[in-house]
């Protein structure tokens, strides 16, 4: 599996929007499980100096292991977008 699109299917359904990006419903094609996919525009993050907020969010999610806190499954990126795949 070489890219994000080989592993995940992005649904058109938007679960939420925030200051930094959007969250869409997705599906892990291999495991046939629904996931939430946070999508960030790298240009927007860099232009508005938001990258440090996203890095902090990633570090916090990596440390958390609790049934009431969403789990970060994977981080994917291409030239334009950053994806956080969540349970």
């Amino acid at each position: 599996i070489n890219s994000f699109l080989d592993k995940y299917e992005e649904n058109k359904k938007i679960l939420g929007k925030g200051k930094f990006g959007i969250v869409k419903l997705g599906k892990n094609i291999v495991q046939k499980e629904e996931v939430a996919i946070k999508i960030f525009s790298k240009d927007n993050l860099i232009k508005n100096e938001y990258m440090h907020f996203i890095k902090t969010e990633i570090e916090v999610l990596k440390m958390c292991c609790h049934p009431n806190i969403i789990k970060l499954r994977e981080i994917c990126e291409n030239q334009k977008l950053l994806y956080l795949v969540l349970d």
Side-chain angles (χ1 to χ4, degrees):
I1 296 173
N2 295 325
S3 76
F4 175 79
L5 295 175
D6 291 336
K7 200 173 197 179
Y8 297 100
E9 186 177 274
E10 201 179 303
N11 192 310
K12 293 187 187 308
K13 183 177 181 180
I14 295 174
L15 300 175
K17 294 181 181 180
K19 186 174 185 175
F20 308 125
I22 62 171
V23 181
K24 287 188 173 182
L25 181 64
K27 184 176 185 178
N28 181 310
I29 297 168
V30 177
Q31 298 173 341
K32 309 273 191 254
E33 293 178 329
E34 283 190 338
V35 295
I37 304 170
K38 279 186 136 180
I39 306 167
F40 305 97
S41 161
K42 286 183 176 180
D43 288 343
N44 182 44
L45 294 176
I46 293 167
K47 179 179 74 177
N48 292 303
E49 299 179 2
Y50 293 148
M51 192 61 83
H52 66 282
F53 291 113
I54 303 309
K55 287 180 179 179
T56 301
E57 179 177 353
I58 290 168
E59 292 306 312
V60 169
L61 286 170
K62 283 181 177 180
M63 289 187 297
C64 292
C65 183
H66 190 277
N68 294 334
I69 298 176
I70 198 160
K71 183 179 179 198
L72 176 65
R73 287 186 174 203
E74 189 171 0
I75 302 164
C76 303
E77 65 181 304
N78 60 31
Q79 285 184 320
K80 294 185 177 189
L81 299 172
L82 174 66
Y83 302 95
L84 301 184
V85 181
L86 308 155
D87 283 341

